[in-house]
């Protein structure tokens, strides 16, 4: 019986990830989307909502206080203009306040009220209908000056809001010293203007500081999410790389190399067995999602390992305990099975020396951590783990990294002439640091 060619042993078949497998990019996007909504976010949108509602509430209070003064001066204005002015001011304030509650058109309505108020101040002298255009007392618009500067801070950009904060009080101060504003002493008019400017600046500074602080928080949160997303994608890509490297090495490459080196009927039979397993592995690739949290029985895993070993002619002694209730996550069970199978294949391929019999054993047991221990040992030629080239994927990728990605640890004990022992433990316990 001649050695089968690679084409005879392993027919070419295409495969792709099944819909159940989560691609690295999708895994990163899913985790990022879950993290975009922290439970108590501090964001610019929230601060804008709080600030605008505060301005609306204060404006409503000031409007109620201003209403009696407005009624007292209504007859001092030209017929129709007094009513129109009252409707424009109080109506605009009411619309802006409602907008803060429904969270729509806040900037538009707030800016509109600030604009209407400034126009009303400028046009106030032309509205009077008194002898010689003289008014007794302050114009009732004075009581809403701080409200207007507050809405300007909400609606306008920082610099335009600052201009408005100075402009509106200065216009009022000018009107105040005119006969139409009560003919106040210039010093009194200046004090009123300075007082309004100071209040407006305090409001503007508070709003600006809150906006800057929350903008910093939003930037930090965005950067953190971006970093987290990149880390998740890198991790998922690394997991996928280990899976692909393991699949190629365990199944395809191992079968092809075994077929190419088969010089005896027994070696050819081993190559055919490995090729059959490779075909089955390729057909099943991607059938188990990387994040599958379903559970499998440890007894089922033991049966799978035993069935795999029975496919070879070399005798293998099995030592296992009863652990019927022990369960493992499906992805961990798959990793332990694949690593154990690779360790068995490595022992069959490399441990024996012609004319020197080799004993092999597989010990499967539970551990005190609620997990399991699988040990594949032989009395073969052994090797020095430190001298294994990095390009050899069997021990590093197919066994060590595969088990590590599933949350376990692998300990390799071997040396030239003293056999090999590969201890697979899941989950990672206190002894994991020795792996």
């Amino acid at each position: 019986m001649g050695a089968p060619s690679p084409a005879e042993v392993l027919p070419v078949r295409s495969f792709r990830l099944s819909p159940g497998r989560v691609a690295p990019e999708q895994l990163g996007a899913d985790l990022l989307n879950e993290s975009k909504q922290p439970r108590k976010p501090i964001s610019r949108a929230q601060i804008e909502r709080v600030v605008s509602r505060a301005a609306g509430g204060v404006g409503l209070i000031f409007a109620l206080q201003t209403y009696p003064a407005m009624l007292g001066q209504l007859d001092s204005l030209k017929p129709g203009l007094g009513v129109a002015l009252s409707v424009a001011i109080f109506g605009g304030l009411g619309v802006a306040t409602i907008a803060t509650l429904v969270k729509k058109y806040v900037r538009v309505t707030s800016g509109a009220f600030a604009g209407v108020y400034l126009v009303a101040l400028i046009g106030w002298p032309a509205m009077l209908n008194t002898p010689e255009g003289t008014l007794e007392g302050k114009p009732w618009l004075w009581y809403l000056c701080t409200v207007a500067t507050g809405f300007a801070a909400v609606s306008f950009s920082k610099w335009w809001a600052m201009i408005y904060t100075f402009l509106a009080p200065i216009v009022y101060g000018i009107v105040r010293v005119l006969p139409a504003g009560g003919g106040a002493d210039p010093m009194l008019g200046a004090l009123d203007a300075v007082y309004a400017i100071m209040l407006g600046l305090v409001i503007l500074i508070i709003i600006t500081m809150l906006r800057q602080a929350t903008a910093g928080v939003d930037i930090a949160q965005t950067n953190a999410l971006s970093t987290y997303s990149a880390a998740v994608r890198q991790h998922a890509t690394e997991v996928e790389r280990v899976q692909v490297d393991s699949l190629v090495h365990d199944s395809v490459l191992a079968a092809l190399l075994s077929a190419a080196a088969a010089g005896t009927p027994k070696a050819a039979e081993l190559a055919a067995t490995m090729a059959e397993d490779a075909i089955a592995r390729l057909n099943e690739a991607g059938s188990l999602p990387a994040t599958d949290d379903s559970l499998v029985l440890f007894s089922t895993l033991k049966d799978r390992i035993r069935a795999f070993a029975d496919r070879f002619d070399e005798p293998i002694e099995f030592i296992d305990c009863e652990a019927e209730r022990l369960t493992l996550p499906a992805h961990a069970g798959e990793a332990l099975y694949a690593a154990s199978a690779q360790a068995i294949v490595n022992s069959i391929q490399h441990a024996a020396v012609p004319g020197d019999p080799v004993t092999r054993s597989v010990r499967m047991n539970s551990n005190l951590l609620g997990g399991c221990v699988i040990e594949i040992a032989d009395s073969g030629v052994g090797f020095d783990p430190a001298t294994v080239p990095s390009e050899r994927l069997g021990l590093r990728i197919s066994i060590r990294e595969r088990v590590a990605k599933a949350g376990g640890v692998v300990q390799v004990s071997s040396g030239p002439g003293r056999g090999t022992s590969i201890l697979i433990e899941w989950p990672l316990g206190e002894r994991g640091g020795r792996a």
Side-chain angles (χ1 to χ4, degrees), residues 17-171:
L17 295 177
S18 68
R21 181 177 294 277
V22 181
E25 295 80 3
Q26 183 61 41
L27 178 60
D30 291 343
L31 292 178
L32 179 60
N33 289 334
E34 291 178 2
S35 303
K36 278 186 177 179
Q37 298 297 333
R39 293 182 179 181
K40 295 181 179 179
I42 302 176
S43 64
R44 175 69 177 268
Q46 269 199 331
I47 289 299
E48 292 291 343
R49 184 163 57 250
V50 171
V51 167
S52 61
R53 287 183 176 178
V58 172
L60 182 60
I61 295 174
F62 273 71
L64 295 176
Q65 294 177 341
T66 306
Y67 190 73
M70 182 274 296
L71 291 179
Q73 296 179 359
L74 191 60
D75 294 338
S76 300
L77 300 179
K78 293 179 180 179
L81 287 180
V83 175
L85 177 62
S86 302
V87 171
I89 294 296
F90 286 95
L93 181 57
V95 171
T97 302
I98 293 174
T100 63
L101 297 177
V102 299
K103 297 181 289 186
K104 290 184 178 180
Y105 309 110
V106 175
R107 287 183 175 271
V108 174
T109 54
S110 299
F113 171 76
V116 169
Y117 179 82
L118 184 60
V119 171
L121 274 180
I122 296 173
W124 178 265
M127 298 181 188
L128 286 183
N129 186 30
T130 57
E132 300 180 358
T134 302
L135 179 71
E136 295 182 3
K138 292 182 178 181
W140 61 265
L141 290 175
W142 158 252
Y143 302 102
L144 296 177
C145 187
T146 302
V147 177
T149 54
F151 272 113
V154 170
S155 176
F156 302 150
S157 63
K158 180 176 63 177
W159 294 109
W160 282 110
M162 184 177 296
I163 292 173
Y164 188 96
T165 300
F166 281 90
L167 181 60
I170 289 174
V171 171

Side-chain angles (χ1 to χ4, degrees), residues 98-368:
I98 293 174
T100 63
L101 297 177
V102 299
K103 297 181 289 186
K104 290 184 178 180
Y105 309 110
V106 175
R107 287 183 175 271
V108 174
T109 54
S110 299
F113 171 76
V116 169
Y117 179 82
L118 184 60
V119 171
L121 274 180
I122 296 173
W124 178 265
M127 298 181 188
L128 286 183
N129 186 30
T130 57
E132 300 180 358
T134 302
L135 179 71
E136 295 182 3
K138 292 182 178 181
W140 61 265
L141 290 175
W142 158 252
Y143 302 102
L144 296 177
C145 187
T146 302
V147 177
T149 54
F151 272 113
V154 170
S155 176
F156 302 150
S157 63
K158 180 176 63 177
W159 294 109
W160 282 110
M162 184 177 296
I163 292 173
Y164 188 96
T165 300
F166 281 90
L167 181 60
I170 289 174
V171 171
Y172 171 78
I174 295 173
V175 172
R176 184 71 177 92
V177 301
L178 297 177
D185 182 82
M187 181 59 69
L188 180 59
L191 289 176
D192 285 348
V194 170
Y195 175 74
I197 290 173
M198 291 177 60
L199 286 180
L201 285 177
V202 169
I203 295 173
L204 179 59
I205 290 172
I206 292 175
I207 293 177
T208 301
M209 291 179 62
L210 289 174
R211 284 173 173 171
Q212 290 177 347
T214 53
V217 172
D218 284 345
I219 292 174
Q221 178 175 283
T222 301
N223 292 339
L225 289 173
S226 178
T227 303
Y228 176 69
S229 175
V232 168
R233 289 189 178 94
Q234 182 178 1
H235 171 73
T237 302
E238 180 66 14
V239 171
E240 194 72 15
R241 180 191 65 78
V242 172
Q243 293 172 343
V244 172
D245 287 352
S246 302
L247 178 63
V248 171
H249 175 272
D250 297 355
S251 302
V252 182
L253 184 59
L256 291 175
L257 292 177
S258 178
T264 64
K266 186 174 182 180
E269 183 178 356
L270 175 61
T273 300
M274 294 176 63
E276 181 182 353
D277 179 67
I279 293 172
R281 295 279 299 278
L282 289 173
N283 288 334
E284 296 173 357
S287 61
L288 184 64
T291 56
D292 188 359
D293 291 329
S294 59
L295 299 177
V296 296
L297 292 172
F298 181 50
S299 58
T300 302
L301 174 61
K302 293 192 296 182
D303 292 340
R304 291 183 63 192
I305 296 175
R306 186 187 294 270
F308 177 82
D310 288 343
R311 299 167 66 178
F312 303 100
D313 291 337
E314 283 74 5
I316 300 177
E317 180 185 6
F318 279 84
I319 307 169
D320 60 349
C321 69
E322 297 295 332
E324 300 299 330
R325 295 184 179 181
L326 177 60
T327 58
L328 303 86
H331 69 275
E334 190 67 23
L336 297 183
Y337 167 75
S340 301
Q342 182 61 38
I344 292 173
V345 170
N346 286 352
S347 176
I348 294 175
Q349 285 184 321
H350 306 299
V353 174
D356 188 5
V358 176
T359 59
R360 296 179 176 86
S361 65
V362 176
R363 180 174 63 89
M364 298 178 288
N365 202 345
S366 60
N367 62 16
L368 298 179

